[in-house]
Amino acid sequence: MSDLIRQDGQTIAQSWTGDLLELDDAVIAVSGASGLIGRHIVSLLLALSEMYGTKTTVIALGRRLDTLQSVFTPWLPDQRFQLRQANPSEGESWPPEATHLIQAASPATPGVFATDPVGVIRANVLGMLSALDCAAANGSYLSFIS
């Protein structure tokens, strides 16, 4: 993860005024974690946990493990952080231990939008459907960002 993204997470965490009680002992799975939005969400969640002492575990999901490892190198030794190769928008499972799901996976790049806009929407919808199914089965909280 670039230092700038890590610094952004820490800056936002420092000015956080919301209630963090829900994050204590939470296991938060973020799909699309190596994407622009996903990596910022992961950075913020880890910074909040670090600064305020919540016992939050963050599971970063992505299509390619090597990409996740390169994006999140500084966090790899952190026991509160896990990487998993998975793509819920293609039917792969969300972690069953997750108490919170954040669906941020999307092939949303200008090139893909231009050549396959239906594919972008399909991936977003299928990712959301898999998250809904997991949340219904496991009682997880769900957020959708795409």
Side-chain angles (χ1 to χ4, degrees), residues 92-115:
E92 295 175 18
S93 299
W94 288 87
E97 69 272 25
T99 58
H100 296 70
L101 310 174
I102 299 176
Q103 159 49 17
S106 178
T109 62
V112 177
F113 270 129
T115 60

Side-chain angles (χ1 to χ4, degrees), residues 6 10 13 44-54 56 75 78 80:
R6 190 171 186 174
Q10 291 170 341
L44 174 59
L45 290 170
L46 291 169
L48 286 169
S49 182
E50 185 177 290
M51 287 183 182
Y52 298 103
T54 61
T56 306
W75 294 105
D78 193 327
R80 307 168 289 132

Side-chain angles (χ1 to χ4, degrees), residues 11-20 44 48 52:
T11 299
I12 294 167
Q14 287 172 345
S15 62
W16 194 267
T17 59
D19 182 9
L20 296 174
L44 174 59
L48 286 169
Y52 298 103

Side-chain angles (χ1 to χ4, degrees), residues 22-113:
E22 187 175 325
L23 295 181
D24 207 21
D25 294 319
V27 178
I28 304 173
V30 181
S31 69
S34 61
L36 179 66
I37 295 172
R39 69 179 67 188
H40 280 85
I41 292 169
V42 168
S43 175
L44 174 59
L45 290 170
L46 291 169
L48 286 169
S49 182
E50 185 177 290
M51 287 183 182
Y52 298 103
T54 61
K55 296 176 192 97
T56 306
T57 298
V58 179
I59 303 172
L61 304 175
R63 290 179 296 204
R64 295 185 47 168
L65 195 55
D66 60 334
T67 302
L68 288 169
Q69 289 170 333
S70 69
V71 168
F72 295 109
T73 300
W75 294 105
L76 293 178
D78 193 327
Q79 296 298 314
R80 307 168 289 132
F81 183 59
Q82 301 173 24
L83 301 177
R84 299 223 185 134
Q85 184 172 344
N87 187 355
S89 64
E90 292 183 1
E92 295 175 18
S93 299
W94 288 87
E97 69 272 25
T99 58
H100 296 70
L101 310 174
I102 299 176
Q103 159 49 17
S106 178
T109 62
V112 177
F113 270 129

